Amino acid sequence: MNCLTKKIRIMLFAGLKEAAGNDYLEADWKMGQTAEELKKNVMLQYPKLQGWVSRSRLAGNKEFLPDSALVCPDIELALIPPVSGG
Amino acid sequence: MVDVMVELTESTIDTDLVLKSVISPECGAALLFVGSTRQWTDQLETSFLEYDAYRSMALLEMQKLVEEAKERWGVKEVRVVHRLGRVEIGEVSIAIAVSSPHRAEAFEAGQWLIDEFKQRVPIWKKEHWKTAGEQWIHPLTSNDCRSDSADGNEVAHGNRNQFVNNSLSLDHTKINNLVKPLSSSDALDSSETKLGS
């Protein structure tokens, strides 16, 4: 492995967690990848989760990431499906 | 003060305490919003609700909401408490208390707080239906169901599009015939249902 790519973990919750059968998934991070690109990557890697991932927002270090944000591989990443608290 | 403004708890929420915690001599108005588990969603009967959260992020988002509300409306004290785990019918799942020198700001901030909470805070509820299994509730598109104000009841009985967890290819699964499942606060349900209608 070189420093331009890396395996990363993304936390999952609620229906997405159940759909995946796990509370995280592994994805391939590439240098220069934006949040939107990472989501697209995950959808390609996990076609069965495509609908879930497309509706979920990516969070990095507990903050929602804009689509254009560059993803740093060493932060805490999570996919946030539509929320329903209250 | 900062560390007690927002809270996640597995225990019963003491709503009196939440309200009292925001009352201060500078404020002539204090209000409390309470969301509780509804038994019936049209023909569907809820047995109980279960809440899960991305706890650390939920607390941060709740904190941001409190700070934004203070900044935008100049309200004095805000407290937001959400329950996690199993919540029985009629039990409180969320309590939001706001105080301000005059009532108008408190009402506006309170409405905004619960609306924003439902859009931004990573907490999810699972319906345990009496006769229809269980179901994570995921409003179809969080951003689309944003509403600037409560719309009354006219949309409250529209279809509430959502997708469920019982199939891996559920991305196209919408339960169009499930009318307004879920949540605790009527004011919010009406804004959420806007999306689907």
Side-chain angles (χ1 to χ4, degrees):
Chain A
M1 186 190 284
N2 59 45
C3 61
L4 299 177
T5 63
K6 195 173 180 181
K7 284 261 181 240
I8 53 169
R9 281 189 175 196
I10 305 176
M11 294 190 290
L12 309 175
F13 296 93
L16 174 51
K17 178 167 81 177
E18 284 194 3
N22 203 350
D23 58 6
Y24 70 89
L25 58 75
E26 282 197 336
D28 295 317
W29 171 86
K30 295 186 188 73
M31 190 179 254
Q33 199 168 43
T34 64
E36 191 179 21
E37 286 161 355
L38 177 58
K39 269 177 62 177
K40 282 187 178 149
N41 239 17
V42 171
M43 287 190 264
L44 288 174
Q45 269 183 275
Y46 300 89
K48 285 179 176 174
L49 299 177
Q50 197 178 337
W52 283 101
V53 176
S54 70
R55 286 176 174 86
S56 298
R57 287 176 280 179
L58 192 68
N61 276 353
K62 312 177 207 306
E63 290 194 5
F64 290 111
L65 296 176
D67 285 346
S68 59
L70 287 180
V71 177
C72 172
D74 299 318
I75 60 175
E76 183 176 295
L77 290 166
L79 276 166
I80 311 292
V83 301
S84 55
Chain B
M1 197 67 198
V2 169
D3 54 332
V4 297
M5 289 195 303
V6 299
E7 185 186 345
L8 296 171
T9 179
E10 260 90 17
S11 311
T12 305
I13 297 175
D14 185 338
T15 53
D16 281 349
L17 201 65
V18 175
L19 178 57
K20 279 175 188 156
S21 72
V22 301
I23 292 175
S24 82
E26 301 162 64
C27 296
L31 67 87
L32 174 69
F33 171 83
V34 166
S36 56
T37 303
R38 187 175 49 234
Q39 183 172 15
W40 289 96
T41 300
D42 294 284
Q43 269 76 47
L44 281 177
E45 186 175 6
T46 296
S47 188
F48 63 92
L49 293 179
E50 180 188 344
Y51 285 91
D52 194 13
Y54 177 8
R55 284 170 180 259
S56 53
M57 181 174 171
L59 285 168
L60 275 179
E61 284 295 316
M62 288 158 74
Q63 191 70 47
K64 283 185 207 164
L65 288 180
V66 170
E67 280 155 19
E68 278 181 56
K70 286 184 170 179
E71 201 171 309
R72 286 177 68 165
W73 285 279
V75 291
K76 283 287 174 203
E77 302 292 343
V78 181
R79 189 169 161 89
V80 182
V81 183
H82 200 290
R83 180 128 172 227
L84 298 178
R86 180 174 171 142
V87 183
E88 307 292 340
I89 302 296
E91 285 191 329
V92 174
S93 55
I94 186 169
I96 298 178
V98 185
S99 66
S100 59
H102 302 283
R103 68 184 181 283
E105 296 80 12
F107 275 116
E108 281 180 29
Q111 172 84 50
W112 179 85
L113 278 161
I114 180 64
D115 287 350
E116 284 294 307
F117 190 106
K118 291 203 159 219
Q119 301 294 330
R120 283 164 51 172
V121 179
I123 294 178
W124 299 269
K125 89 182 74 194
K126 190 182 215 179
E127 281 277 5
H128 289 257
W129 302 107
K130 209 129 198 170
T131 54
E134 52 187 58
Q135 173 185 28
W136 283 108
I137 302 300
H138 294 286
L140 190 54
T141 305
S142 269
N143 290 331
D144 289 353
C145 50
R146 185 177 296 270
S147 164
D148 291 327
S149 62
D151 291 285
N153 291 327
E154 71 270 22
V155 293
H157 297 288
N159 291 342
R160 182 163 186 274
N161 292 336
Q162 56 186 245
F163 54 108
V164 289
N165 63 315
N166 53 7
S167 154
L168 282 174
S169 54
L170 55 24
D171 47 308
H172 299 303
T173 310
K174 295 173 192 171
I175 310 189
N176 285 321
N177 295 325
L178 277 190
V179 189
K180 199 181 69 158
L182 95 118
S183 99
S184 16
S185 72
D186 288 330
L188 265 297
D189 282 350
S190 59
S191 63
E192 284 176 349
T193 51
K194 246 189 130 179
L195 194 223
S197 50

